Amino acid sequence: MLANLLIYSYLYKIVPFLWWTHRYSQKIGKENVPTLKQMINEKCTVFTCGLFLVSFIGVILALIVSSLPLFYVAQGGMVAFSLLFAGTIIAVLRK
């Protein structure tokens, strides 16, 4: 699971770079183009990664103590993380 967090972290950096290169490489010097930093919402990134870690720890604790309600809540956090992650990537593609 922690390997997933590493992959998500790389995607937060790679997707904006690839999109910026695809969309703005021909416009450099001709028009005002956004920087990579402007394309990424870093506060949202920290929040979503934190949500992932808390949810992951919740899943592990739920499995250790055999708590089905805690497992459902932790899995709900994972779903929320996935939706926020997808929304962040879509927001980059809209810029």
Side-chain angles (χ1 to χ4, degrees), residues 11-82:
L11 283 175
Y12 271 119
K13 295 296 181 179
I14 292 171
V15 170
F17 174 76
L18 292 175
W19 185 248
W20 185 89
T21 303
H22 170 73
R23 186 155 186 190
Y24 298 111
S25 63
Q26 302 297 323
K27 298 178 183 181
I28 297 173
K30 300 173 187 172
E31 298 177 24
N32 189 14
V33 298
T35 63
L36 284 173
K37 186 171 178 114
Q38 292 170 333
M39 294 183 75
I40 303 170
N41 185 349
E42 291 182 12
K43 290 180 182 179
C44 185
T45 302
V46 171
F47 175 75
T48 54
C49 289
L51 178 61
F52 177 82
L53 284 174
V54 168
S55 299
F56 178 69
I57 292 169
V59 167
I60 291 174
L61 287 175
L63 293 173
I64 290 172
V65 299
S66 298
S67 172
L68 199 55
L70 178 60
F71 183 77
Y72 287 148
V73 169
Q75 285 297 309
M78 290 283 191
V79 169
F81 162 77
S82 298

Side-chain angles (χ1 to χ4, degrees), residues 75-92:
Q75 285 297 309
M78 290 283 191
V79 169
F81 162 77
S82 298
L83 293 174
L84 285 171
F85 178 78
T88 302
I89 296 299
I90 290 170
V92 167

